[in-house]
Amino acid sequence: MSGRARSLAALACAVAAALVLTGCGGSGSPAADADGRARPRATLILDWFPNADHAGVYAAIDRGFFREAGIVVHPQVPSDTAAALKEVAQGKSAFAISYEPEVLLARAEGIPVVAVAALVTAPLNAVIARADRGIARPRDLQGKVVGAPGLPSDRALLDTVVRADGGDPARVRIRNVGFSLAPALAAGRVDALIGAYWNVEAVEVREKGVPVTVFRLERYGVPSYDELVVVTSEAFARGRPETVRALLAGLARGQAWAAAHPAAAVRPLLRANPDLAPALVAEQVRLVAPLFLDRGVPLHLDPAQWARYAEWMRLKGLLRRPVDAARATDVRFLPPGAGGTR
């Protein structure tokens, strides 16, 4: 996520490199691996550049967990983050990493994708405020300017947090700063942020010597949700269930290993994305690693929680039509010991 402020040119270069490494294989077609064993190969479209949130993915690759589960996984930087779910639905890629709200929005639009596992099991999005602007609690945002990336959910999330603390959301201004979130806050152009991550932008701003206070969404009126999830299409889940199970078996081990060894999990990330700053990404992984597990198990997915968040989105006018959260998730492929609730 620290790459959100990078240029589109840099993104295009990264995509080109990823495609060279990936080649074909989005369909999950089998091919002989180095040991001569035929394993299905599957493309996993990331939600952004390789970053701290993907530590479990790259741990599973680096330590051979995917290979031992019988699958070869190729992470791919997205050419268009907004199009990843459509690419999965169309069969252009077997899997993608996305966000619970995005999956619910896609389902509301009739896009037949399903979440099969949770990668990060609580919101990373947060209100991040400069502590030197007199903001000690959400209602102190009254009369302040909050920078936002310009997403439809920005206002609903901010209003909920402020109102939960007894403040008047109408007295809080939002300014669209795109994805230059950390620079806008560090430079003092805004007093706070919404749409930034407490394990990424908050770390970046503190590293610049700016004190910040973080207001976690789920502690101020927003129902908890899975920040990052693994998504496939309904058709792929029906037609290639063994490939889905293999991916999740390897990923569960990668998530558990990264949660237990956050410092060591940084190394595969740095090899995947040399542009990451080692000290920053080490702190970012340390912060997010506990969320790779839910009550001690990886990949936990709870349709009841999805239903609560879907209802909140509907009440806030973020969903055009109601969504059956049970059909937006599919826990049948989770490995034994991984968390699935239906």
Side-chain angles (χ1 to χ4, degrees):
M1 297 305 297
S2 58
R4 281 186 290 190
R6 299 174 193 268
S7 67
L8 290 176
L11 177 58
C13 290
V15 171
L19 289 173
V20 169
L21 291 172
T22 302
C24 299
S27 65
S29 54
D33 204 355
D35 59 5
R37 177 183 171 188
R39 293 179 174 86
R41 297 177 181 268
T43 299
L44 173 66
I45 303 178
L46 303 178
D47 57 298
W48 203 254
F49 293 91
N51 64 79
D53 303 336
H54 307 137
V57 174
Y58 285 95
I61 294 170
D62 184 68
R63 301 191 65 81
F65 297 149
F66 284 132
R67 180 176 57 80
E68 291 171 9
I71 189 171
V72 178
V73 176
H74 293 289
Q76 180 175 307
V77 176
S79 56
D80 179 358
T81 56
L85 292 182
K86 291 182 180 179
E87 290 183 28
V88 168
Q90 294 165 1
K92 296 178 180 178
S93 178
F95 303 99
I97 294 174
S98 188
Y99 313 87
E100 179 176 329
E102 290 300 316
V103 175
L104 292 170
L105 287 168
R107 297 287 303 191
E109 296 296 329
I111 300 173
V113 292
V114 292
V116 292
L119 205 64
V120 176
T121 59
L124 298 176
N125 188 357
V127 176
I128 301 171
R130 289 186 62 125
D132 58 0
R133 297 286 175 89
I135 305 170
R137 52 190 303 166
R139 68 187 182 200
D140 294 337
L141 291 167
Q142 295 174 133
K144 307 295 186 182
V145 178
V146 178
L151 301 176
S153 60
D154 294 340
R155 186 82 243 184
L157 291 169
L158 180 62
D159 287 2
T160 299
V161 170
V162 172
R163 186 175 290 111
D165 192 42
D168 180 2
R171 296 178 56 194
V172 183
R173 291 173 53 203
I174 278 190
R175 178 180 298 165
N176 187 341
V177 297
F179 286 107
S180 295
L181 294 160
L185 188 63
R189 294 194 297 272
V190 295
D191 303 300
L193 300 172
I194 182 66
Y197 280 10
W198 54 260
N199 74 311
V200 178
E201 280 85 0
V203 174
E204 293 175 355
V205 174
R206 285 185 179 123
E207 192 268 342
K208 297 179 183 298
V210 178
V212 298
T213 301
V214 172
F215 307 124
R216 299 273 295 268
L217 300 183
E218 69 274 27
R219 297 174 185 173
Y220 289 96
V222 178
S224 188
Y225 60 88
D226 296 323
E227 187 65 56
L228 292 180
V229 295
V230 179
V231 179
T232 192
S233 68
E234 292 180 349
F236 195 89
R238 285 194 304 269
R240 301 299 299 272
E242 73 287 349
T243 302
V244 182
R245 289 192 181 94
L247 176 95
L248 298 189
L251 182 57
R253 292 181 66 191
Q255 292 288 96
W257 188 88
H261 306 89
V266 173
R267 291 193 291 271
L269 281 176
L270 293 175
R271 287 194 291 272
N273 185 358
D275 289 340
L276 295 172
L280 279 179
V281 76
E283 177 64 5
Q284 291 164 353
V285 172
R286 184 189 71 80
L287 289 171
V288 75
L291 298 186
F292 293 161
L293 306 176
D294 186 320
R295 287 162 285 188
V297 296
L299 308 184
H300 185 266
L301 197 63
D302 182 0
Q305 174 260 97
W306 279 60
R308 289 189 293 271
Y309 191 74
E311 176 63 8
W312 180 86
M313 290 184 69
R314 186 190 68 80
L315 292 173
K316 297 299 180 182
L318 298 174
L319 290 176
R320 295 184 179 180
R321 57 181 64 87
V323 173
D324 184 347
R327 297 186 64 184
T329 59
D330 193 337
V331 302
R332 295 175 299 164
F333 307 104
L334 291 171
T341 307
R342 183 175 290 281

